[in-house]
Amino acid sequence: MRGTLGAWAGTSALIAGLLGACLAPRAGLAQNAEGDQAYQNLVPLAGDSHQHAATFYMIARAAKQPPVPGFPNGLHENSAPGDAFDVLRNGGYDWMSLSSHDTNHPGYLANICVDTMSEKYQWWSKNMVPSGFPDATRPGQAVNPPANEALALSRLATSKTVEGVGGFLAFTGREFTTMNFAPSGVGSRQSGHKVVVIPGETQGMCAPSGVLVGDEYCTDEAQMYLWALAQPDPRPVIIQAHPGPASLVDFRPFHPKNAPGGLTDQLVQGIEIGSEFQDPQWEGAYDLALSLGYKVFPAYGSDDHYATYPGVDRSPHVGATVCWATSRTKRALVEAMQARRCYFSTSWKPELRFSARARGTATWLPMGSDISASGGLVDLRIHVRNDPRNANANPRLGNRFDSLDLVNDQGAALATCGLGAKPPFGARACSCTRSADGQDVCVLDADAVPLRFGAFYARVRMDSPDPAGCRSRTTPDLLPLCGVEVVSAPIFVNWPQQVARSPYRQCLLDPSHLPCGTPGCLPAAVDHDQDGWPDDCDVCPAVPDPGQADSNLDGIGDACGRDALPPPQVLGAG
């Protein structure tokens, strides 16, 4: 890709002056690039946050002594971890997180070996290398046990990482799947999966507490959250995986006792809205999370288990999460995710710059930012430029730009550019134009847009796509979704008002005062009713209730005097 959009826009303006009105939309992009200031020192990094491979033990045992216990018909994950990193790096991704399966299943089901008690380690030391898993020990570091496969996998990611221009950022990760596929205290949510992106080297998630026959094992999501909270900065990033349709989602407010599988945006930064196999059909769940007051970015996760199979495309051509980072480093990428400065793409890396500021202020802020606009008026700049690799000789194939939407957290398009639509809000620019070289451009420049409060994001669509280009298995039903090319992270306007009107309850896990459940165990400054639950995590902070009874699981305790009611339907769309 070329440099910043501002630099490209200047060249575009010159071409437009020479070649005439046919390039006017690009000239418009050049004339209204002030909002791009928010992206001047940022670089877009495209990656896959949910790629799978088997562990060292699983691959070795499948090769030497099949079948692997617990997997009589073959491995659930098929590629070796080092090969998976190499394939995605060579395919053109800037970064990748490799998810090992499943951190809540005990025994053989793909848990990671973390001590010498494990049958997995005993097999490895007998049949592979007596000294333990590769690179799990280093001279003078006896603290690193040779059995620790979690450490070995994270050091593999370190060895595959080259930071800087032209480099590749490799992360170790997990897919957390609950035993019964429905987190305790939470209604239906597709498989309860969470993807965990771990920035550095690790001795294992939730280990050594919770170790079961030598496995890495988190008893539930609450323990996983507490583990992530205890990690050094930058802390792990957690993404809600394949949430399913909004009609089936129940984003229950997290509580360590009543809803340990609930959602918390203190640690859950993203939500998948599409994968390698599914068009962006989970955008409705993304909208639902935003409408309930959770700050999340839209993510792509391939959820692919066959990275190294011949003839399979492992490149941004099939999709990516693109994050605007301050540099090509692992720390900067994780910080971009934590700032919700990431967007979803179904294709080769289009560049999306979505900027906003409160009317009357000077500073433009990028996607993922909070905008405090006392008058409810916001200036917007949305500039999107397609990657020329998304072109195709068939005008209905490829991944082209035909229309740009400004969408609210209810999923409603407040404005549409393209399709001959009249510019909304008195916008200075509102257009989408295809280019012969594939560098399609969409622009929305509007001042004093009335956005009272809520989350607002940009979406780019291709009209009338050819079904042959769709990825979903149920193509006819999902054809309209096939045309969604890019979905941005939101800007959050007057967000406290959004939270105040929603059933959002935030249990802030603070390492200095975690819930202890014993009266008087916490300082009165953080636990005013002295029941052992800090105010932020207390379902009834003004009334002592160590048991934290909450019959309807709405985040408001029974001790507060409310009658027990059925779970409020507002938590889900069904």
Side-chain angles (χ1 to χ4, degrees):
M1 299 296 286
R2 305 180 202 176
T4 64
L5 187 59
W8 172 84
T11 303
S12 175
L14 176 61
I15 295 173
L18 295 174
L19 299 183
C22 63
L23 293 182
R26 292 197 184 185
L29 186 61
Q31 294 163 5
N32 297 291
E34 55 182 329
D36 296 340
Q37 297 166 4
Y39 295 87
Q40 279 184 345
N41 298 315
L42 302 178
V43 56
L45 302 178
D48 182 353
S49 58
H50 188 177
Q51 174 65 234
H52 283 287
T55 62
F56 292 129
Y57 160 80
M58 302 290 281
I59 287 290
R61 187 149 188 173
K64 280 182 170 287
Q65 197 180 76
V68 176
F71 296 87
N73 299 317
L75 297 182
H76 187 49
E77 301 164 302
N78 292 270
S79 301
D83 294 340
F85 281 129
D86 292 342
V87 166
L88 269 75
R89 178 198 63 206
N90 294 334
Y93 279 106
D94 300 308
W95 60 273
M96 165 195 166
S97 179
L98 189 62
S99 293
S100 296
H101 247 290
D102 284 314
T103 58
N104 190 246
H105 282 288
Y108 291 110
L109 296 180
N111 283 293
I112 294 172
C113 171
V114 293
D115 66 40
T116 54
M117 294 172 57
S118 174
E119 189 274 344
K120 299 173 184 178
Y121 179 67
Q122 296 297 323
W123 183 93
W124 182 276
S125 60
K126 178 181 178 180
N127 294 279
M128 299 298 294
V129 183
S131 60
F133 290 105
D135 199 30
T137 58
R138 289 179 179 173
Q141 293 185 342
V143 69
N144 299 329
N148 198 314
E149 191 175 22
L151 179 62
L153 286 166
S154 64
R155 286 185 170 168
L156 172 67
T158 299
S159 72
K160 295 292 183 179
T161 293
V162 177
E163 298 187 333
V165 177
F168 179 75
L169 311 177
F171 295 85
T172 188
R174 306 290 186 272
E175 182 177 80
F176 177 92
T177 310
T178 55
M179 282 283 294
N180 61 357
F181 295 95
S184 175
V186 182
S188 58
R189 184 169 72 239
Q190 177 132 344
S191 302
H193 286 15
K194 293 287 193 301
V195 170
V196 185
V197 180
I198 304 174
E201 295 180 357
T202 175
Q203 297 279 350
M205 283 178 56
C206 304
S209 63
V211 168
L212 185 67
V213 294
D215 290 332
E216 175 187 78
Y217 183 80
C218 301
T219 55
D220 56 25
E221 286 169 307
Q223 188 185 20
M224 182 189 70
Y225 290 148
L226 289 169
W227 170 83
L229 189 71
Q231 302 311 297
D233 287 328
R235 290 174 179 153
V237 169
I238 301 176
I239 298 173
Q240 176 65 54
H242 40 71
S247 60
L248 298 179
V249 170
D250 188 350
F251 288 129
R252 186 72 53 180
F254 168 75
H255 186 273
K257 179 180 180 184
N258 298 327
L263 199 70
T264 167
D265 63 355
Q266 180 186 12
L267 290 165
V268 179
Q269 286 92 0
I271 181 171
E272 289 179 1
I273 66 169
S275 72
E276 179 182 344
F277 310 104
Q278 303 289 349
D279 295 308
Q281 60 180 285
W282 305 314
E283 187 181 346
Y286 171 50
D287 294 333
L288 177 61
L290 296 174
S291 69
L292 294 176
Y294 297 107
K295 286 185 172 180
V296 288
F297 66 80
Y300 164 88
S302 66
D303 195 18
D304 177 70
H305 294 230
Y306 304 88
T308 57
Y309 268 40
V312 179
D313 190 351
R314 295 291 173 263
S315 73
H317 174 253
V318 297
T321 299
V322 185
C323 298
W324 288 99
T326 54
S327 63
R328 290 179 177 270
T329 65
K330 292 176 77 169
R331 171 176 284 272
L333 177 60
V334 169
E335 289 172 346
M337 293 185 192
Q338 292 169 341
R340 282 66 168 176
R341 208 165 50 235
C342 304
Y343 59 95
F344 169 90
S345 167
T346 65
S347 58
W348 287 112
K349 189 166 64 179
E351 291 196 11
L352 166 65
R353 293 165 173 82
F354 177 24
S355 309
R357 66 182 180 186
R359 186 63 175 162
T361 60
T363 303
W364 289 94
L365 299 175
M367 67 181 78
S369 298
D370 282 275
I371 305 293
S372 178
S374 58
L377 299 178
V378 178
D379 299 338
L380 298 174
R381 300 291 183 268
I382 304 174
H383 295 166
V384 199
R385 181 183 55 173
N386 207 355
D387 189 312
R389 291 172 291 183
N390 289 323
N392 190 287
N394 182 339
R396 296 183 62 207
L397 284 175
N399 296 85
R400 306 303 299 270
F401 291 178
D402 292 318
S403 58
L404 167 67
D405 299 322
L406 175 65
V407 185
N408 67 12
D409 50 58
Q410 303 298 312
L414 304 181
T416 296
C417 300
L419 303 173
K422 181 180 179 181
F425 319 120
R428 291 188 289 138
C430 180
S431 64
C432 274
T433 301
R434 288 192 180 190
S435 170
D437 63 2
Q439 296 190 85
D440 311 327
V441 170
C442 287
V443 178
L444 173 59
D445 288 353
D447 295 330
V449 180
L451 304 176
R452 292 175 55 210
F453 59 84
F456 305 90
Y457 63 92
R459 176 177 61 205
V460 179
R461 293 181 287 113
M462 174 180 171
D463 300 328
S464 302
D466 189 322
C470 298
R471 66 185 71 187
S472 294
R473 297 182 179 92
T474 53
T475 295
D477 294 337
L478 297 172
L479 184 57
L481 301 173
C482 172
V484 176
E485 305 298 341
V486 183
V487 176
S488 82
I491 56 164
F492 301 98
V493 179
N494 295 328
W495 197 242
Q497 295 182 44
Q498 176 82 338
V499 172
R501 67 184 287 272
S502 78
Y504 180 87
R505 301 284 183 275
Q506 185 171 32
C507 175
L508 283 172
L509 297 170
D510 188 323
S512 66
H513 54 268
L514 294 173
C516 51
T518 302
C521 64
L522 293 171
V526 298
D527 178 16
H528 285 84
D529 62 6
Q530 286 291 279
D531 61 1
W533 291 85
D535 293 345
D536 283 333
C537 291
D538 197 333
V539 295
C540 197
V543 179
D545 57 340
Q548 292 289 284
D550 179 13
S551 300
N552 65 353
L553 299 177
D554 68 348
I556 300 175
D558 298 347
C560 292
R562 292 184 54 174
D563 294 331
L565 299 171
Q569 289 297 306
V570 71
L571 289 178

